[in-house]
Amino acid sequence: MELGGPRCAGLVLLLLLISCGQGRGADPINIWPMPKSVTSGKQTLLLSNDFVLNTQGSKYPDSSGILKDGFSRFLQVLRASHVADSNSSYSSAHFPVCKGLHVVILSPNDKLQYGVDESYKLSVTALGAVYAYLEANTVYGALHGLQTFSQLCHFNFKARVFEVRQAPWTIIDQPRFSYRGLLIDTSRHYQPLIMIKNVIDSMAYTKLNVLHWHIVDTQSFPLEIPSYPKLYAQTRGINVLAEIDVPGHTQSWGIGYPSLWPSTDCQQPLDVSNELTFKVIDGILSDFSKVFNYNFVHLGGDEVNTNLCWLGSHYELLKKKGLNESEAYQYFVLRSQEIALSHGYDIVNWEETFNNFGSKLSRKTVVHNWIGSGVAERVVAAGLRCIVSNQDKWYLHYLDTTWQEFYMNEPLTNITNPKQQELVIGGEVCMWGEYIDGSDIEQTIWPRAAAAAERLWTPYDKLAKDPRRVTGRLAHFRCLLNERGVPAAPLNGPGRVAPEEPGSCYKQ
Amino acid sequence: MLLPLSLLTLSLSSLFLFTFSRPLSQGFSNSTINLDDSLVYLWPLPSHFTFGDDTLSVDPDLSLSLAGVGGNSPILTEAFQRYLKIIFKHNSRVSGDNLRGGLIYDIGELKITVNSDDETLQLGVDEGYSLSIARTDGYSVIGKAQIEANSVYGALRGLETFSQLCYFNYESKTVEVYKAPWYIRDEPRFAYRGLLLDTSRHYLPIDVIKQIIDSMSFAKLNVLHWHIIDEESFPLEVPMYPNLWNGAYTKLERYTVGDAHDIVNYAKLRGINVMAEVDVPGHAESWGHGYPDLWPSSSCREPLDVSKNFTFDVVSGILTEMRKIFPFELFHLGGDEVNTDCWSSTPHVEQWLQDQNMTTKDAYQYFVLRAQEIAISKNWTPVNWEETFNTFSSNLNPLTVVHNWWGPGVCPKAVAKGFRCIYSNQGVWYLDHLDVPWEDVYNAEPIEGINDISKQELVLGGEVCMWGETADASDIQQTIWPRAAAAAERLWSRKEATAAINHTLVTLPRLQYFRCLLARRGVPAAPVTNRYARNPPRGAGSCYEQ
């Protein structure tokens, strides 16, 4: 075939594109998680090669560069997927061109906190030589808008530039729950800083907003006070919920301070009878409060086996205080809560504390469900707040829990009273680390955590009642993660499964 | 100035028994396990080195000074920036401000001297370097690390070694070099140290290929064998035959010419060649989605139709386009697993065979030799899988590099006939065989069975192969690493250094250390001692013990 000049070839391609666009039914909308409200059209516009950020009229000064850096990351993510042709003469002649993104942020404040306004509005008109428009109350809403916008941009293999199809777009979006968490566990296996950063980046892609950092446990105590990941997370709109799991999961504490062990035979729970124990907790939380400024600190409190040790070692002391062992457990938890409150924190505790002495817990407690379903309804009936992480659906190390089950797990199950519904602040998927290190953490998390992320972000009415309806869209998102260098596993099969055979990412 | 060899008397046995007044473990004191101080945690092991018992601090504002006619290369300055990020990733200045008071760091400068300004990257490029890290000698105020190399690519290898000697001290919050002074003189044992990636069975996104290229540079591998196309999919753009990539899985799973250039350039900046492969005539079904005439018939879709000139026009067109992208002198033409049965059952091909007076085996040879001619006419050296040698060795072009894969004993036969050879014995160096433990990978020997030194030199090196049937972006890195590193040391380090050692006591902890180094750099390398590759850790524990 004789090739015509570029103009002529371009015209042919243009006709092809138009006929493709009209030949099919409505294109699917591949955004994950699905926004609250979306309308789209059928036109294509190309992104200018010098696509710019315009903040005219924005009230947010961006002195810390959160928006600017977010925009750079947006460009980087696009450019990492394919090489655009900076000399493409093809573009402006045939398609409207989007020159940049105009971002207007209404609040100058960038304090990241529980309940921060994460809403945004995004519109991409189909008229040429204009800016896409993103409006948000806070910079964190704007970051979510940028993530959504990045999912609208695709490489055009003919024009060799990036394009937005299905324009005009109008998207109005806000999260259903304010707490959308992922737990990582750096005690069972040390996670290198770069892995934690990778996880944070991919959380931002799926609009999760709390990294619950289970820093120390029985096995190791790797923490100095690591401010760096916190700063990294904050610039991506992600809060860090730090946990010290007392008094049960603490054996590693005593390697530095052996007197925290009731005895050398009894290395956990922490010594309830020793004032040093509470001094150390106070010291840690004091350090925490300088670094981790999220509303909440997680004090653990799960799986406390008091029978093993406390009795033998400190029977006399406990008796003197008039405490039996379960009372000593309660005493420990409540005293730790007091310490946390004195440092300005609200407290999160695992559900055993509620199950054992719920009425005694500080009213500022958020109960973190994990053992099973049905806990949240009891917690909110008691007037306390709750985070849902029932292990049968949202524990990622259970590889046989499928993404469909992650998707269908509803935090408000059996909670109908709107006042009580509000007490469920959200949910969290948990990546416990016994069998997880830097080599397999990401594929164990993704794509199943993304399924839960949509449950936590998207309005209930827009969630699929049958997960099969979102398979294609989630597969698309999984391939997008791969394209961005995140090793999200195939959808077919259990968690972290290897692809069974050759095939397209979009079908596996 | 290259380091005098007298400083570098190699005495491996004594090196491993060294004892130190200042234990290395101070660098790991946050850990409850102790690493064996007597081992040298460099991977792959350099060919000559000596060290002492001093500890040197490295300035977080480490400066770079460049010398020699090749010192002005942007390849070096870019690499230096990359390694600064690796060496100072704990961001010591954020938490370690003023900790050292007004003290001067022991190492304030890295001086790199490159003696040639030729930046051509080719097989056999000089990758040697010398590296010294020593306290100030009285002539200068600041201590230095110095790298000297004949080519910029040797300097890159030296930078990698330097980075592996830098440890973060969690207590002082500074980066330190232990066991200084170091004097290293190093060069690879084999010129060809490859890793095969297969983007046909699963498309690998560009970002993932780049991550793998980065990790290859950490292990000093230097050839990315890009098995781009196979029967399952054809992801690459070929402008002369634009319908070929209709054979891609989806429109989203394709590489443009620009993408391929980007990958080649990214690899070059890390001293890594890209050898492209077009596997003909057997593994080529995907070609026919764009050009069905390449299929002998709709029921016989491979091997490619040997009877049509169009087939060779397309081969020639692909190679013409690829020649613009891939400057490496080797080009892989495949030639493996050719089942010619359906040639003889396709009437027009059978007729052609009769007209040419050829058997199907003759036609296979005819196809391979004709493809070789095309490659050679484009100034490429053809590489072919061993079946071509096994089937018609006497007719193969003498330029051919034979790529072993079936089993041991092939390279000895190939070099005996004067061919060059690449070793990839599937029993040990096929990474998709998950049941091959690291020791077997490590103990594989490319020149096994070749005693004549002049014949040994015909073994260019070896390659570990990451076939993609069950490896996609989600699991490829942990399937490659750490076992590819075991092969990398075999291919880089002196034979004497990698043999006759108690591997459990010496090699295993070093490889475990390197695996954790990969993890620190963001490479998800799997645990070393698992029974099956790519499996999760077997329980809680330290990276250095798993």
Side-chain angles (χ1 to χ4, degrees):
Chain A
M1 184 186 90
E2 286 287 321
L3 288 175
R7 259 185 76 95
C8 178
L11 190 62
V12 172
L13 294 171
L14 173 68
L15 291 171
L16 278 173
L17 279 171
I18 289 172
S19 59
C20 285
Q22 290 174 339
R24 280 175 287 168
D27 282 325
I29 289 169
N30 281 315
I31 304 173
W32 194 279
M34 183 60 84
K36 185 178 178 192
S37 147
V38 185
T39 63
S40 63
K42 290 194 165 189
Q43 283 170 306
T44 294
L45 36 86
L46 302 180
L47 265 51
S48 164
N49 268 318
D50 53 350
F51 192 80
V52 293
L53 173 67
N54 171 354
T55 55
Q56 206 176 10
S58 180
K59 305 232 167 32
Y60 176 63
D62 202 21
S63 47
S64 45
I66 293 176
L67 178 64
K68 192 164 69 59
D69 292 349
F71 185 77
S72 306
R73 289 195 301 277
F74 155 78
L75 289 178
Q76 260 171 25
V77 153
L78 282 196
R79 288 170 184 164
S81 67
H82 288 285
V83 178
D85 177 4
S86 53
N87 298 319
S88 178
S89 57
Y90 175 79
S91 47
S92 51
H94 305 296
F95 288 103
V97 170
C98 186
K99 284 158 56 177
L101 183 63
H102 183 193
V103 180
V104 172
I105 296 168
L106 304 174
S107 164
N109 186 353
D110 60 11
K111 191 165 152 42
L112 181 63
Q113 199 41 272
Y114 170 73
V116 71
D117 188 327
E118 296 176 280
S119 67
Y120 68 91
K121 290 179 208 160
L122 174 65
S123 61
V124 187
T125 73
L127 299 170
V130 290
Y131 290 85
Y133 183 73
L134 172 61
E135 186 182 297
N137 287 321
T138 71
V139 67
Y140 302 108
L143 290 181
H144 289 312
L146 264 173
Q147 292 296 348
T148 301
F149 187 60
S150 77
Q151 293 191 27
L152 303 183
C153 299
H154 305 275
F155 187 70
N156 181 317
F157 282 84
K158 295 197 171 82
R160 311 291 156 136
V161 293
F162 292 91
E163 67 178 7
V164 174
R165 292 194 292 265
Q166 298 168 270
W169 287 94
T170 306
I171 295 174
I172 300 167
D173 203 7
Q174 68 183 72
R176 180 177 173 215
F177 292 104
S178 293
Y179 185 106
R180 305 179 305 281
L182 168 69
L183 176 146
I184 62 166
D185 167 6
T186 57
S187 172
R188 276 57 179 259
H189 283 94
Y190 177 79
Q191 288 291 347
L193 273 180
I194 190 167
M195 294 300 180
I196 297 176
K197 290 192 208 173
N198 289 346
V199 169
I200 290 170
D201 280 332
S202 43
M203 286 174 72
Y205 299 153
T206 188
K207 299 190 174 74
L208 291 174
N209 72 347
V210 181
L211 178 71
H212 174 179
W213 191 357
H214 188 84
I215 308 173
V216 296
D217 205 296
T218 309
Q219 287 86 352
S220 79
F221 198 117
L223 172 81
E224 195 176 45
I225 294 293
S227 58
Y228 191 52
K230 199 271 301 192
L231 294 171
Y232 188 88
Q234 185 181 333
T235 61
R236 283 145 179 83
I238 291 170
N239 295 283
V240 176
L241 172 68
E243 174 175 356
I244 49 166
D245 192 350
V246 293
H249 288 258
T250 52
Q251 183 185 347
S252 62
W253 297 34
I255 292 167
Y257 298 94
S259 58
L260 295 172
W261 289 333
S263 71
T264 48
D265 304 330
C266 173
Q267 304 192 337
Q268 67 184 28
L270 291 171
D271 190 341
V272 63
S273 70
N274 186 344
E275 280 303 301
L276 176 68
T277 302
F278 297 99
K279 263 193 199 141
V280 170
I281 291 173
D282 186 53
I284 292 174
L285 291 180
S286 168
D287 283 349
F288 271 19
S289 67
K290 291 167 199 146
V291 173
F292 300 114
N293 42 16
Y294 194 38
N295 284 38
F296 305 106
V297 70
H298 203 303
L299 291 176
D302 59 317
E303 300 184 312
V304 180
N305 185 342
T306 54
N307 291 329
L308 269 180
C309 306
W310 276 353
L311 182 71
S313 310
H314 297 286
Y315 180 70
E316 287 305 320
L317 278 164
L318 293 181
K319 218 171 136 189
K320 209 156 78 187
K321 292 195 178 195
L323 302 172
N324 65 28
E325 287 182 328
S326 65
E327 286 166 343
Y329 165 42
Q330 173 185 324
Y331 164 79
F332 196 113
V333 168
L334 296 183
R335 189 159 168 196
S336 304
Q337 288 202 332
E338 291 293 324
I339 296 170
L341 289 167
S342 78
H343 290 291
Y345 282 121
D346 284 11
I347 309 109
V348 185
N349 268 115
W350 294 108
E351 68 169 79
E352 286 96 323
T353 58
F354 173 80
N355 300 343
N356 283 296
F357 43 87
S359 61
K360 304 280 172 45
L361 289 173
S362 160
R363 302 304 290 169
K364 289 191 168 181
T365 306
V366 178
V367 176
H368 195 165
N369 150 247
W370 72 277
I371 294 174
S373 47
V375 176
E377 42 188 297
R378 292 201 301 276
V379 171
V380 298
L384 292 176
R385 290 172 293 177
C386 189
I387 296 166
V388 172
S389 292
N390 46 314
Q391 60 174 336
D392 55 329
K393 304 292 189 213
W394 277 3
Y395 265 28
L396 291 157
H397 69 291
Y398 293 142
L399 298 181
D400 53 359
T401 308
T402 61
W403 72 262
Q404 290 91 339
E405 293 174 272
F406 273 80
Y407 189 87
M408 294 308 290
N409 191 39
E410 171 50 45
L412 298 186
T413 300
N414 294 335
I415 303 172
T416 48
N417 177 332
K419 283 254 151 45
Q420 292 186 1
Q421 287 182 341
E422 277 172 24
L423 292 173
V424 178
I425 66 173
E428 176 177 300
V429 289
C430 299
M431 184 66 275
W432 293 107
E434 279 85 348
Y435 305 99
I436 299 298
D437 64 9
S439 74
D440 60 347
I441 184 168
E442 292 188 88
Q443 41 282 84
T444 316
I445 293 175
W446 311 108
R448 293 180 300 158
E454 176 153 301
R455 172 67 49 179
L456 291 166
W457 177 276
T458 304
Y460 182 79
D461 292 340
K462 292 204 75 177
L463 291 164
K465 305 296 173 269
D466 179 345
R468 278 176 296 187
R469 297 189 68 93
V470 303
T471 307
R473 188 161 53 87
L474 183 58
H476 202 276
F477 183 70
R478 179 240 164 180
C479 301
L480 180 82
L481 289 174
N482 284 178
E483 190 176 278
R484 296 179 180 186
V486 181
L491 268 61
N492 298 341
R496 198 172 64 210
V497 71
E500 203 171 293
E501 57 184 15
S504 165
C505 175
Y506 297 89
K507 298 191 173 101
Q508 291 193 323
Chain B
M1 177 198 73
L2 287 168
L3 292 166
L5 257 175
S6 56
L7 272 174
L8 297 165
T9 44
L10 177 78
S11 166
L12 276 170
S13 53
S14 67
L15 286 176
F16 288 114
L17 297 170
F18 240 78
T19 51
F20 303 99
S21 54
R22 297 184 65 180
L24 177 62
S25 59
Q26 62 183 273
F28 309 104
S29 54
N30 250 17
S31 166
T32 47
I33 67 153
N34 290 310
L35 298 182
D36 183 346
D37 296 345
S38 67
L39 299 179
V40 173
Y41 293 98
L42 288 173
W43 195 280
L45 201 66
S47 48
H48 302 82
F49 57 89
T50 66
F51 52 86
D53 61 1
D54 198 1
T55 295
L56 305 178
S57 61
V58 183
D59 191 340
D61 289 319
L62 183 71
S63 65
L64 174 67
S65 90
L66 297 168
V69 292
N72 275 330
S73 169
I75 295 179
L76 277 186
T77 44
E78 275 192 38
F80 182 68
Q81 292 306 319
R82 286 199 305 276
Y83 280 103
L84 283 183
K85 279 188 198 146
I86 286 172
I87 293 167
F88 299 104
K89 64 182 159 304
H90 275 280
N91 219 359
S92 43
R93 263 169 299 170
V94 171
S95 50
D97 252 354
N98 301 323
L99 274 177
R100 291 182 61 85
L103 287 181
I104 296 174
Y105 294 90
D106 298 319
I107 302 292
E109 181 182 294
L110 175 65
K111 182 181 180 189
I112 303 182
T113 306
V114 178
N115 295 324
S116 160
D117 60 357
D118 184 356
E119 292 182 0
T120 313
L121 179 62
Q122 270 307 349
L123 186 68
V125 70
D126 190 336
E127 295 176 281
Y129 66 92
S130 65
L131 166 66
S132 69
I133 312 173
R135 200 177 280 285
T136 174
D137 55 10
Y139 293 102
S140 59
V141 183
I142 310 170
K144 266 185 210 155
Q146 301 195 59
I147 293 170
E148 182 170 354
N150 286 327
S151 84
V152 67
Y153 303 108
L156 293 183
R157 306 293 174 242
L159 261 173
E160 173 57 40
T161 303
F162 175 68
S163 75
Q164 292 190 16
L165 289 171
C166 293
Y167 294 82
F168 181 69
N169 182 325
Y170 283 82
E171 267 135 39
S172 68
K173 310 287 186 281
T174 54
V175 169
E176 295 178 344
V177 173
Y178 302 108
K179 299 193 198 180
W182 281 92
Y183 298 101
I184 295 174
R185 198 161 171 184
D186 198 11
E187 62 183 356
R189 181 178 168 212
F190 290 104
Y192 185 107
R193 304 180 306 281
L195 168 69
L196 176 146
L197 291 185
D198 169 4
T199 56
S200 176
R201 274 58 180 259
H202 284 96
Y203 175 82
L204 294 173
I206 288 157
D207 190 74
V208 174
I209 295 177
K210 287 181 176 175
Q211 288 181 33
I212 293 167
I213 290 171
D214 278 325
S215 56
M216 289 173 71
S217 73
F218 302 152
K220 298 191 172 78
L221 291 174
N222 72 346
V223 180
L224 174 68
H225 172 179
W226 190 2
H227 187 85
I228 310 176
I229 306 150
D230 207 295
E231 60 190 44
E232 286 85 355
S233 77
F234 196 119
L236 181 70
E237 175 184 23
V238 178
M240 213 181 282
Y241 291 95
N243 294 342
L244 279 171
W245 67 354
N246 292 0
Y249 279 132
T250 62
K251 291 190 169 182
L252 298 171
E253 290 165 295
R254 296 187 290 177
Y255 306 105
T256 66
V257 168
D259 294 336
H261 271 295
D262 186 37
I263 286 167
V264 170
N265 186 50
Y266 190 89
K268 181 182 179 182
L269 291 174
R270 287 150 184 82
I272 293 171
N273 292 287
V274 181
M275 176 174 72
E277 176 173 356
V278 170
D279 191 349
V280 291
H283 287 262
E285 179 183 338
S286 64
W287 299 31
H289 294 293
Y291 298 95
D293 275 357
L294 295 168
W295 290 332
S297 73
S298 58
S299 60
C300 173
R301 296 180 162 198
E302 66 184 23
L304 294 168
D305 191 336
V306 65
S307 72
K308 294 196 187 99
N309 273 325
F310 177 63
T311 303
F312 295 95
D313 291 345
V314 174
V315 171
S316 178
I318 293 173
L319 266 59
T320 300
E321 298 287 4
M322 283 192 170
R323 197 57 175 120
K324 299 175 198 161
I325 303 170
F326 300 103
F328 191 42
E329 69 182 83
L330 301 183
F331 185 83
H332 207 301
L333 287 169
D336 58 317
E337 300 183 310
V338 181
N339 180 342
T340 55
D341 287 355
C342 81
W343 274 350
S344 47
S345 62
T346 303
H348 79 268
V349 180
E350 173 62 16
Q351 183 62 48
W352 180 86
L353 291 170
Q354 281 182 25
D355 293 348
Q356 305 294 318
N357 197 20
M358 280 189 198
T359 64
T360 53
K361 195 174 148 189
D362 296 335
Y364 165 43
Q365 173 183 319
Y366 163 80
F367 198 115
V368 168
L369 297 184
R370 195 162 163 189
Q372 288 199 332
E373 292 293 323
I374 295 170
I376 290 164
S377 76
K378 300 191 187 309
N379 203 23
W380 256 323
T381 299
V383 183
N384 273 109
W385 293 109
E386 67 169 74
E387 285 96 325
T388 58
F389 171 81
N390 300 342
T391 316
F392 44 88
S393 64
S394 52
N395 295 326
L396 273 183
N397 191 297
L399 285 172
T400 307
V401 177
V402 176
H403 194 167
N404 152 249
W405 73 277
W406 269 102
V410 175
C411 280
K413 286 186 209 141
V415 300
K417 296 208 170 181
F419 290 103
R420 290 176 293 172
C421 191
I422 296 168
Y423 175 90
S424 290
N425 174 5
Q426 63 171 336
V428 283
W429 279 9
Y430 264 29
L431 295 165
D432 57 319
H433 294 198
L434 300 181
D435 57 350
V436 178
W438 75 270
E439 301 97 309
D440 290 7
V441 178
Y442 192 84
N443 287 322
E445 175 49 58
I447 60 163
E448 183 178 31
I450 305 171
N451 300 318
D452 179 341
I453 288 173
S454 69
K455 296 297 182 199
Q456 289 177 351
E457 283 169 5
L458 292 174
V459 178
L460 297 178
E463 175 178 301
V464 284
C465 299
M466 184 63 270
W467 294 108
E469 280 83 352
T470 65
D472 66 6
S474 76
D475 61 348
I476 188 163
Q477 296 243 52
Q478 37 283 87
T479 318
I480 294 174
W481 308 107
R483 291 182 304 160
E489 177 152 295
R490 168 67 47 191
L491 289 165
W492 177 278
S493 303
R494 289 157 49 97
K495 197 178 174 194
E496 300 80 357
T498 49
I501 285 176
N502 183 328
H503 290 315
T504 307
L505 288 178
V506 174
T507 314
L508 175 59
R510 290 181 51 246
L511 182 55
Q512 286 175 319
Y513 183 87
F514 183 69
R515 181 238 164 182
C516 304
L517 178 141
L518 289 174
R520 289 202 301 272
R521 296 182 182 190
V523 181
V528 178
T529 54
N530 281 351
R531 188 186 176 117
Y532 291 100
R534 188 168 75 197
N535 267 18
R538 282 173 292 190
S542 163
C543 177
Y544 297 92
E545 291 179 331
Q546 292 189 325

